[in-house]
Amino acid sequence: MVRHIVFWNFLEELSDAEKAEAGAKMKALLEPIKELVPGAVEIQVVPNQLASSNRDIALISTFETVEALSAYQNHPAHVEAGKYVGSVTCNRACMDYEL
C-alpha cells in the first residue's frame, strides 16, 4: 500500500468564500477519480479545520501499489483536476510513503 499526501495553501487574493468554493470544487474533482483508477483505495480532500494547521487543504489518498499511484497521477481526470487546483493554490507540499 502507498499513501500519497498533498498539502496546499489557497492563493492569498482569494476571499474566504472563494476559498470555501475552491475547496468544494477540489473535492468534487478529485474524490471521484477513485472510481476511475484501478488500485485506488481512498481519495479524500480535507479542508483545514484547526488554527494550529499551516496549510489550507489536504489530499490524503491510498493506493494498492506504486503503479496504481502512477496511474492516478497520469489519469486524464487527475491531469484536468490539477489544472484547476494549480489555479487556486500555492505552496504545494507532497509526501508519498509505503504502508
Side-chain angles (χ1 to χ4, degrees):
M1 299 286 266
V2 176
R3 176 86 24 95
H4 172 65
I5 303 174
V6 185
F7 298 99
W8 300 269
N9 285 326
F10 289 114
L11 297 175
E12 287 186 29
E13 60 264 24
L14 297 179
S15 69
D16 288 344
E18 289 170 324
K19 290 176 183 179
E21 181 179 319
K25 185 168 181 178
M26 288 172 64
K27 187 175 187 72
L29 289 171
L30 291 166
E31 289 185 355
I33 299 172
K34 176 183 175 268
E35 304 306 322
L36 304 174
V37 176
V41 176
E42 175 189 29
I43 299 176
Q44 183 180 21
V45 175
V46 182
N48 174 23
Q49 298 176 2
L50 301 174
S52 58
S53 299
N54 62 11
R55 299 293 178 160
D56 294 325
I57 195 160
L59 167 71
I60 303 167
S61 52
T62 307
F63 298 88
E64 292 177 358
T65 62
V66 171
E67 292 78 18
L69 170 60
S70 180
Y72 161 76
Q73 292 172 323
N74 294 296
H75 192 281
H78 178 263
V79 172
E80 193 62 31
K83 292 176 187 176
Y84 174 74
V85 171
S87 75
V88 296
T89 63
C90 60
N91 301 324
R92 180 185 183 272
C94 176
M95 183 172 182
D96 298 331
Y97 60 95
E98 293 190 80
L99 300 174

